[in-house]
Amino acid sequence: MRVLYVEDEKHMALAVAQVLKKSNYSVDLAHDGEEGLDLALSGLYDIIILDIMLPKLDGIAVLSRMRQEGIETPVILLTAKGETEEKVRGLDSGADDYLAKPFQIEELLARLRALGRRKGYLAQGSMLGYADIELNYNTLDLYGNGQTFHLTLKESQLLELLITHQGQAVTNSIIIEKLWGWDSEAGDSHVQVQVAFLRKKLRLLTSRVKIKTIYGVGYMIAPGEEGRADV
Ligand code: CA
């Protein structure tokens, strides 16, 4: 499950994101309403946790714009305690659930599970295609040449990161932050191991997709030559 968390209190955002990642959610953060709306409109998320009080564009405005644009991703609104009017406005604007701040993280996890179940929801964008492969980053299945391989969560996150940054090198530090978290002890050797695993699965699929090492920088995905699956 891929979660977007729009929260301007960065310390809180990072703390919550860490817990969600430990519960196997993929988490992207946005720190103001405009950034949140841009990401939400990508349609890539399964659930959006949206704070109401945000700089630039408030949560209700983000939600209204999303719904106007036809983005039906379930939204949990974070409201100030006791603000009944906010809750009503939020639900009227198309929120699926709300949670009053401050909340217990267990409560948020329970709401996420319930919302996932209730909607039976997978983002329409849960399939990510690139050259001759297709990744379902919810089920972690990788398809190519009529075959399917199941990836580990980290392999799937790595491939997703490379595909969404195609045409550019993804640095080791970005990979570490996405796969292990900003405060982890993971280093370049952990990245190398995951890249090696992913390259092996691409070879098993006889995919022409390559993960190129950009020395001193990181890694970049390349489509390879059509009709060739060697090297
Ligand atoms: Ca806020």
Side-chain angles (χ1 to χ4, degrees):
M1 292 272 274
R2 189 169 164 141
V3 175
L4 172 64
Y5 181 23
V6 190
E7 170 65 73
D8 57 315
E9 291 157 59
K10 290 190 180 171
H11 193 76
M12 173 174 170
L14 289 171
V16 170
Q18 278 300 102
V19 177
L20 295 183
K21 283 177 186 175
K22 286 202 176 105
S23 304
N24 282 344
Y25 290 96
S26 244
V27 186
D28 287 334
L29 295 175
H31 298 302
D32 65 59
E34 282 178 5
E35 192 189 2
L37 180 61
D38 278 349
L39 288 171
L41 292 181
S42 72
L44 281 175
Y45 299 96
D46 300 300
I47 292 183
I48 298 174
I49 306 166
L50 185 58
D51 190 25
I52 286 189
M53 295 289 285
L54 289 170
K56 295 189 184 172
L57 203 59
D58 75 26
I60 303 272
V62 172
L63 179 58
S64 305
R65 285 284 303 281
M66 275 175 56
R67 295 299 187 236
Q68 276 166 24
E69 299 288 329
I71 300 290
E72 297 300 326
T73 314
V75 168
I76 300 178
L77 271 184
L78 300 182
T79 64
K81 204 175 174 205
E83 293 285 339
T84 310
E85 200 185 312
E86 264 185 0
K87 283 173 201 164
V88 172
R89 274 206 308 145
L91 293 171
D92 281 349
S93 308
D96 299 84
D97 201 356
Y98 60 83
L99 195 55
K101 279 177 153 183
F103 55 84
Q104 299 288 319
I105 190 77
E106 289 78 12
E107 177 74 26
L108 177 62
L109 288 169
R111 301 291 181 96
L112 286 171
R113 284 193 300 270
L115 205 51
R117 271 200 305 273
R118 196 161 81 214
K119 293 275 170 179
Y121 188 89
L122 290 178
Q124 286 176 347
S126 60
M127 295 297 287
L128 202 55
Y130 182 77
D132 59 356
I133 55 168
E134 226 178 348
L135 170 70
N136 183 324
Y137 56 73
N138 283 303
T139 62
L140 313 184
D141 287 321
L142 180 65
Y143 305 89
N145 297 311
Q147 300 179 83
T148 308
F149 276 100
H150 192 67
L151 302 185
T152 65
L153 180 66
K154 288 203 173 11
E155 289 164 357
S156 169
Q157 288 173 332
L158 175 61
L159 183 57
E160 186 185 337
L161 194 57
L162 291 167
I163 293 175
T164 53
H165 291 78
Q166 56 190 273
Q168 45 183 305
V170 182
T171 63
N172 281 6
S173 58
I174 288 178
I175 295 171
I176 290 169
E177 196 201 314
K178 284 277 180 182
L179 271 62
W180 289 275
W182 59 281
D183 63 347
S184 83
E185 309 262 304
D188 292 354
S189 60
H190 292 80
V191 176
Q192 278 170 18
V193 168
Q194 293 303 321
V195 169
F197 282 146
L198 189 53
R199 280 176 172 153
K200 188 174 174 191
K201 295 223 167 132
L202 289 169
R203 278 199 302 275
L204 288 170
L205 278 181
T206 59
S207 168
R208 58 189 166 86
V209 172
K210 301 280 177 292
I211 300 171
K212 293 186 170 171
T213 304
I214 311 294
Y215 289 99
V217 184
Y219 298 91
M220 187 161 97
I221 198 162
E225 275 178 57
E226 224 158 322
R228 284 184 51 161
D230 54 350
V231 189

